[in-house]
Amino acid sequence: MRLDVDIARKTFINAAGERTDVLSGINFVLATGEVGVFIGPSGCGKSTMLRILTGLDHDFQGQVSRPADARIGMVFQEPRLLPWRSVEDNVRLAAPQAGAARLSQLFAALELNGHRNHFPHELSLGLARRVALARAFAVEPDILILDEPLASLDATLAANLRDQIAALVDNRSVTTMLVTHDIDDAVRLGDRLFFLSPRPAQILATVPILTPRAARSEADLNRIKADLARLNVVNV
Amino acid sequence: MLRLLSFVVFLASWWIASLVVGDAKLPAPPAVLAAAVAEARSGALFFNLGVTLARVALAFTLAMTLGAAIGYLMGRVRLADRLGDPWLILLLNLPALVVIVLAYIWAGLTEAAAIAAIAINKLPTAVVTLREGTRALDPALEEMAAIFAVPRSRAFRHVILPQLAPYIAAAARSGLSLVWKIVLVAELLGRPNGVGFEIGVAFQLFDIPLLLAYSLTFAAVVLVIETVLVQPLEARLFRWRPHAA
């Protein structure tokens, strides 16, 4: 499902009545099944951008076009699970149409089978992140939005989860936006990298990665990272 | 075990106090028990307790439903909050006696007047508690529900209501104790039956054993309802919370 984004300007007015531009010129198109990675300094306006894309914020200049019936799955920076519902019920609430077989398969893939009946407070952050991922995939999304889904996880766990994301994305060819600070995650998962400027955010550079995700060797990854370093846009 | 011990201590200090001040002012436990048994034999005790409990149930349900709805609205909608706030402050500070007397004057000495008066006394505290609860709702979870296109009714049940549950429980708890107190006053002033009425009669006849018999059975009923109904319900509602070891 194609996602066509053209945000000319987004302005906040603070309590004192001063206007601040948060976004100025976010312009991109993601084709079906493409993974776009957004890299930018903290506080540059990425969260605001995601709020606009998900339809939570309509107060901006420009246009976001996606099919009206597009299903969105999102993984937030914090897992945002309902503390009063079990792991399984959290997933079912977002995806009531998901069949038992599909859920079992998803829980198995994310190694959550033993935790179906646990409450979120009984989970570690890594597990809670995986539940959030399961929820996002259970809705069989047309558009998947991942807002720093691997932040503050240890390296092994992050790598593990990253591989699972890659597998799930390739399985269903879902249009994906990934926001991250980690250049390593970006070059392993992305089809196209978008580098954002500090606030007000605009797209500074767009870097496509042509080698398919699954075929990228360590040498490829190092070469891409070296190219990016030469571009001098990686200041994160 | 500890409860039993504290009950024994209560009985013992009562008995000792009655020996000190004399039977006329504070009858000993057996005299009160005898009065209670006599009332129970004639059926009057159960009838009056039943009538009072029915009034409590009606007034409590009415005040909780209305209060929760108004509180939620005031927490959500700024305009409603600003319109409702002066009324709320007025009702919060209006003495219960004023409401009861006015209700009886305007609506006559009727059942409806009594129940409305009790409900109006409880209403503002429910509104205030639920308004606070609504203001404290986590927008992050509502955003999650919106992005995943969870239908409104489902989101209300699974996302909003569980967040309000502690506030509803608090409002119910404090509201119930308020209703227990006010219902007797309303009965004393304008009803021909109920525990409050009987206590009024006992007061006029200076029949202290009867007065204590009604007071203590009423207190016992309240205690039983709290431990058998309210506390287990709360425990079930909040079973997802982490338990202290």
Side-chain angles (χ1 to χ4, degrees), chain A residues 51 54 56 72-74 76 78 80-85 92-94 96 119 121 135-136 139, chain B residues 139-144 146-148 150 154-155 157-160 162-163 239-243:
Chain A
R51 287 177 55 84
T54 49
L56 291 175
I72 300 179
M74 181 159 177
F76 304 88
E78 32 356 312
R80 294 203 193 178
L81 303 173
L82 301 176
W84 41 84
R85 291 287 182 268
R92 282 184 184 281
L93 176 76
F119 285 109
H121 70 83
R135 177 174 64 185
V139 302
Chain B
L141 292 179
E142 278 177 72
E143 282 182 12
M144 182 277 292
I147 288 172
F148 281 102
V150 180
R154 270 172 69 82
R157 193 173 142 213
H158 297 284
V159 181
I160 307 282
Q163 292 185 73
R239 70 190 188 288
W240 56 270
R241 283 188 175 161
H243 299 286

Side-chain angles (χ1 to χ4, degrees), chain B residues 16-226:
Chain B
I16 293 165
S18 89
L19 287 176
V20 173
V21 301
D23 245 11
K25 276 189 179 158
L26 181 60
V32 173
L33 186 67
V37 169
E39 283 293 300
R41 281 237 175 89
S42 74
L45 182 70
F46 302 114
F47 170 72
N48 286 310
L49 274 176
V51 166
T52 300
L53 282 180
R55 286 186 188 125
V56 167
L58 271 172
F60 176 78
T61 314
L62 193 68
M64 275 305 290
T65 335
L66 262 179
I70 296 172
Y72 184 70
L73 190 72
M74 286 176 76
R76 283 279 185 185
V77 185
R78 242 185 113 74
L79 183 69
D81 188 37
R82 288 168 73 176
L83 283 177
D85 203 50
W87 291 93
L88 196 58
I89 291 169
L90 178 78
L91 277 179
L92 266 175
N93 296 296
L94 201 60
L97 192 60
V98 175
V99 177
I100 295 167
V101 169
L102 283 179
Y104 281 143
I105 290 174
W106 288 334
L109 294 175
T110 59
E111 204 58 65
I115 287 165
I118 302 164
I120 288 171
N121 272 301
K122 192 235 166 311
L123 184 77
T125 60
V127 172
V128 169
T129 313
L130 264 293
R131 181 175 65 177
E132 282 319 305
T134 308
R135 284 174 178 165
L137 288 174
D138 184 358
L141 292 179
E142 278 177 72
E143 282 182 12
M144 182 277 292
I147 288 172
F148 281 102
V150 180
R152 262 167 187 272
S153 58
R154 270 172 69 82
F156 187 78
R157 193 173 142 213
H158 297 284
V159 181
I160 307 282
L161 218 46
Q163 292 185 73
L164 292 180
Y167 294 88
I168 294 172
R173 256 295 172 71
S174 70
L176 200 55
S177 66
L178 197 67
V179 169
W180 290 132
K181 289 173 190 170
I182 290 168
V183 68
L184 297 196
V185 181
E187 287 175 345
L188 175 77
L189 287 174
R191 298 312 304 144
N193 48 33
V195 175
F197 170 77
E198 289 297 333
I199 288 176
V201 171
F203 172 58
Q204 279 160 21
L205 302 175
F206 234 75
D207 187 346
I208 300 176
L210 185 69
L211 198 155
L212 284 179
Y214 269 103
S215 310
L216 291 178
T217 41
F218 183 67
V221 168
V222 172
L223 207 65
V224 166
I225 288 180
E226 278 279 325

Side-chain angles (χ1 to χ4, degrees), chain A residues 187-228:
Chain A
V187 296
R188 281 173 195 271
L189 284 174
D191 292 313
R192 234 175 342 145
L193 314 186
F194 300 93
F195 290 93
L196 302 176
S197 70
R199 179 179 281 215
Q202 53 184 341
I203 294 179
L204 288 178
T206 308
V207 180
I209 300 178
L210 300 172
T211 325
R213 238 183 314 285
R216 286 171 206 165
S217 65
E218 287 299 319
D220 288 336
L221 295 171
N222 285 332
R223 186 175 43 73
I224 297 165
K225 279 191 242 180
D227 287 348
L228 289 175

